């Protein structure tokens, strides 16, 4: 089934040039990760070398070679956020989800990623949940958002 899903996505990119990132983004969006089957099918059907595919996948944090949770939670661990209480926010997030930074919950609901900077240091501590940014985040606020996502 996953093979058909991957082939259906690849079908849209056959005979097009410079589409690797777009194609990988679509696979990541649909499957929540880039399985080895996808890498091999892209290689077989589009002739893009496996090394090139892995180079792109490992360069961009948007891609994951392991299954990601339905909700991606990224907590900034950069210095500007750290001095404003980022570690307390990270601790609360780990507790609320029940996993450690860098892990994915067993039910594949959440992936918790520490990041070096989310690019809006003045708003620290910053947390990004499902592509939405929360500035001056507090442990309580993040706990509530996690609880809402869990029950959604
Ligand atoms: S250090 Fe946290 S957003 Fe830059």
């Amino acid at each position: 089934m996953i093979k058909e899903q991957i082939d259906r996505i690849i079908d849209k990119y056959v005979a097009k040039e410079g589409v690797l990132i777009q194609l990988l983004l679509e696979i990541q969006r649909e499957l929540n990760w880039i399985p080895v089957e996808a890498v091999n099918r892209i290689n077989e059907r589009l002739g893009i070398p496996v090394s090139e595919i892995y180079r792109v996948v490992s360069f961009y944090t948007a891609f994951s070679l392991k299954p990601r949770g339905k909700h991606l939670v990224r907590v900034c661990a950069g210095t500007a956020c750290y001095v404003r209480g980022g570690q307390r926010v990270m601790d609360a997030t780990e507790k609320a989800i029940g996993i450690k930074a860098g892990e994915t919950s067993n039910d594949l609901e959440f992936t918790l990623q520490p990041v070096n900077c989310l690019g809006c240091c003045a708003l620290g501590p910053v947390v990004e949940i499902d592509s939405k940014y929360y500035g001056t985040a507090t442990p309580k606020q993040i706990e509530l958002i996690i609880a809402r996502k869990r029950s959604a």
Side-chain angles (χ1 to χ4, degrees):
M1 181 184 151
I2 196 171
K3 190 169 173 273
E4 287 81 45
Q5 210 175 347
I6 291 166
D7 273 338
R8 190 172 36 75
I9 298 170
I10 294 175
D11 285 345
K12 301 183 204 168
Y13 296 90
V14 172
K16 290 185 183 164
E17 292 290 313
V19 293
L20 181 58
I21 291 179
Q22 233 180 309
L23 166 60
L24 289 169
L25 281 171
E26 190 165 343
I27 292 172
Q28 176 72 47
R29 208 170 31 244
E30 279 220 18
L31 306 179
N32 261 345
W33 68 305
I34 308 291
V36 68
E37 294 93 326
V39 173
N40 292 336
R41 282 307 276 168
I42 293 170
N43 169 257
E44 285 163 21
R45 295 196 53 205
L46 303 184
I48 300 172
V50 167
S51 58
E52 166 80 4
I53 302 167
Y54 278 118
R55 190 184 61 74
V56 171
V57 170
S58 10
F59 185 78
Y60 296 101
T61 56
F63 302 121
S64 174
L65 288 166
K66 290 190 289 186
R68 257 188 200 161
K70 195 168 101 192
H71 303 290
L72 179 59
V73 180
R74 302 168 81 208
V75 178
C76 184
T79 308
C81 286
Y82 184 84
V83 298
R84 291 181 170 100
Q87 188 57 51
R88 280 186 303 110
V89 172
M90 175 62 94
D91 293 344
T93 309
E94 287 181 335
K95 200 166 161 226
I97 301 176
I99 56 174
K100 292 286 176 200
E103 294 180 348
T104 294
S105 59
N106 288 337
D107 59 5
L108 291 178
E109 278 293 306
F110 294 96
T111 291
L112 176 55
Q113 271 187 352
V115 289
N116 290 333
C117 182
L118 285 167
C120 44
C121 312
L123 299 176
V126 184
V127 177
E128 180 192 349
I129 302 175
D130 295 338
S131 303
K132 184 170 179 194
Y133 281 57
Y134 298 89
T136 56
T138 64
K140 190 76 206 158
Q141 176 194 20
I142 301 305
E143 283 165 17
L144 289 171
I145 296 166
I146 298 295
R148 256 201 324 266
K149 296 274 179 187
R150 196 183 289 285
S151 59

